[in-house]
């Protein structure tokens, strides 16, 4: 493990590389990268957040970090192996054949959070595929250690709980994935995110200036091996988990799967089926609340100003209801 060095986000942000050793999937040495927002003078830190990104993503949302800092929570994020800052030359973006392999870097990142803020509660915040990876990790951690350690709450931003399509369609797809992941694990499918990226980025119709090298506007290629790992993770979720802490699931009111951009593309989830998020939320175990947000995008914190403010407001209230944050912030 290396020390803290300046991050690409500039002043007020630092990163630390977590070396993970040889890749079980045969793509060299893998690492994860923890990014921290350094607490500003006068900020009262009463807890911390660990943020986990989704597919075709990395941490760049400084407004999100400022929001949690405004509620007394120090903010740290992890770019998972082969993702964002952590991807190395020759590695297939996000590729793993088993989502459980992310437990290693999530445990290590949580240890960094605990080291930085000993004895304080931690909220895990995760988006999209990260919203599948983190409940699976917490359930395994609870069963392995008896509890989830400093984690006191889980906030999922449009989690990927199921594949698109009907029950009848998903069955054959799942069977095909099992076979193709064995014979052609690295064969690429289309990413299918051609509308979403440009709707967010300043080069398109959006307001966010992220790095397209780490979050390609057209999306990262999906592989059979990775998609099969996702499907296996979803099947495990559907059998029921116990993440050990209260959970908040944020989702848009509706999905829109149009193939061309329109104003509706900015006011709906154009990546995942939002009904699946509500359908499977109860599988997290324990206390679960689903917050449905009008006009929200797939990443609710990258929505247009009004639904974005509603998302921040709901999270702020949830934090206060669970004794996990105070203060105020306008996103």
């Amino acid at each position: 493990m290396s020390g803290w060095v300046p991050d690409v986000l500039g002043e007020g942000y630092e990163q630390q590389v977590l070396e993970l050793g040889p890749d079980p999937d045969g793509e060299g040495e893998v690492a994860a990268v923890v990014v921290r927002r350094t607490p500003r003078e006068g900020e009262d830190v009463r807890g911390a957040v660990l943020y986990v990104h989704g597919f075709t993503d990395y941490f760049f949302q400084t407004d999100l970090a400022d929001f949690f800092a405004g509620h007394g929570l120090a903010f740290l994020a992890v770019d998972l192996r082969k993702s964002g800052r952590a991807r190395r030359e020759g590695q297939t973006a996000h590729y793993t054949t088993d989502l459980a392999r992310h437990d290693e870097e999530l445990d290590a990142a949580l240890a960094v959070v605990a080291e930085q803020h000993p004895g304080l509660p931690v909220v895990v915040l995760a988006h999209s595929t990260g919203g599948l990876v983190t409940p699976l990790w917490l359930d395994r951690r609870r069963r392995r250690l008896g509890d989830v350690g400093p984690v006191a709450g889980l906030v999922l931003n449009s989690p990927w709980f199921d594949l698109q399509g009907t029950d009848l369609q998903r069955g054959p797809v799942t069977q095909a994935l099992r076979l193709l992941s064995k014979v052609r694990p690295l064969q690429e499918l289309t990413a299918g995110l051609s509308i979403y990226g440009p709707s967010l980025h300043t080069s398109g119709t959006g307001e966010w200036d992220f790095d397209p090298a780490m979050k390609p506007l057209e999306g990262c290629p999906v592989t059979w091996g990775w998609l099969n790992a996702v499907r296996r993770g979803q099947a495990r979720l559907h059998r029921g988990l116990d993440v050990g802490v209260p959970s908040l699931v944020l989702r848009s009111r509706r999905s829109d799967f149009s193939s061309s951009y329109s104003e509706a593309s900015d006011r709906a989830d154009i990546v995942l089926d939002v009904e699946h998020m509500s359908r499977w939320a109860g599988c997290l175990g324990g206390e679960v609340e689903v917050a449905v947000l009008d006009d929200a995008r797939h990443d609710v914190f990258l929505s247009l100003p009004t639904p974005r403010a509603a998302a921040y407001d709901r999270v702020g209230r949830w934090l206060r209801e669970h004794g996990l944050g105070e203060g105020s912030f306008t996103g």
Side-chain angles (χ1 to χ4, degrees):
M1 183 182 297
S2 62
W4 295 100
V5 298
D7 185 65
V8 295
L9 292 176
E11 185 176 358
Y13 287 87
E14 297 176 320
Q15 66 166 257
Q16 183 177 116
V17 177
L18 307 176
E19 295 290 348
L20 304 173
D23 176 25
D25 291 309
E27 293 193 324
E29 298 287 314
V30 288
V33 177
V34 174
V35 180
R36 69 177 179 184
R37 177 192 182 276
T38 54
R40 315 303 193 243
E41 184 177 353
E43 289 183 348
D44 184 14
V45 177
R46 296 182 293 278
V49 169
L50 176 61
Y51 174 76
V52 183
H53 60 84
F55 183 71
T56 304
D57 214 348
Y58 73 107
F59 168 64
F60 64 90
Q61 302 93 324
T62 56
D63 286 354
L64 190 61
D66 290 341
F67 164 79
F68 283 100
H71 284 74
L73 301 174
F75 189 93
L76 296 91
V78 58
D79 281 11
L80 301 172
R81 64 183 67 197
K82 303 183 188 179
S83 307
R85 300 164 178 81
R87 185 184 176 193
R88 293 172 169 172
E89 185 175 358
Q91 293 180 342
T92 305
H94 299 270
Y95 181 72
T96 181
T97 55
D98 188 346
L99 297 185
R101 294 198 175 117
H102 291 306
D103 289 8
E104 183 178 5
E105 59 255 46
L106 290 170
D107 282 340
L110 184 60
V112 170
V113 177
E115 179 183 273
Q116 294 286 303
H117 306 285
L120 296 182
V122 177
V123 175
V124 173
L125 168 66
H127 172 53
S128 197
T129 308
L132 173 65
V133 169
T134 51
L136 295 170
W137 161 60
L138 288 174
D139 178 72
R140 284 188 292 264
R141 184 179 173 91
R142 179 195 54 78
R143 287 187 284 111
R144 185 176 72 250
L145 302 177
D147 59 45
V148 290
V151 178
L154 177 66
V155 178
L156 302 181
N157 168 9
S158 302
W160 192 12
F161 283 168
D162 210 343
L163 295 181
Q164 292 181 21
T166 67
D167 290 341
L168 289 176
Q169 291 169 331
R170 284 191 292 273
V173 169
T174 300
Q175 294 300 321
L177 281 172
R178 291 175 181 170
L179 173 62
L180 291 168
S181 65
K182 294 178 181 178
V183 297
R184 298 179 180 176
L186 286 167
Q187 181 171 321
E188 297 178 356
L189 297 78
T190 178
L193 298 176
S194 58
I195 302 174
Y196 185 59
S199 75
L200 300 178
H201 197 257
T202 52
S203 65
T205 57
E207 62 180 287
W208 309 99
D209 189 19
F210 52 84
D211 184 352
M214 292 194 279
K215 182 177 174 65
L217 300 189
E218 69 280 8
C220 293
V222 174
T223 61
W224 290 119
W226 177 82
L227 190 56
N228 183 60
V230 168
R231 194 60 183 140
R232 287 166 52 208
Q234 291 170 341
R236 177 65 189 91
L237 167 77
H238 298 169
R239 293 195 296 272
L241 307 176
D242 182 357
V243 300
V245 294
S247 304
L248 173 66
V249 175
L250 303 164
R251 48 153 281 204
S252 179
R253 184 167 296 280
R254 66 188 187 92
S255 296
D256 187 319
F257 298 129
S258 300
S259 58
S260 58
Y261 175 81
S262 69
E263 289 187 7
S265 304
D266 292 324
R267 299 181 178 276
D269 191 321
I270 61 176
V271 179
L272 298 180
D273 187 331
V274 296
E275 297 298 331
H276 292 164
M277 301 169 196
S278 293
R279 176 182 180 183
W280 298 112
C283 291
L284 297 171
E287 178 188 337
V288 183
E289 179 179 347
V290 178
V292 179
L293 303 167
D294 291 326
D295 296 330
R297 286 184 171 126
H298 175 56
D299 187 331
V300 301
F301 300 115
L302 300 183
S303 297
L304 297 175
T306 297
R308 186 193 321 160
Y312 278 127
D313 178 70
R314 187 64 201 92
V315 173
R317 286 189 283 123
W318 185 85
L319 290 171
R320 291 190 294 273
E321 289 164 3
H322 292 84
L324 295 172
E326 299 295 339
S328 62
F329 176 83
T330 301

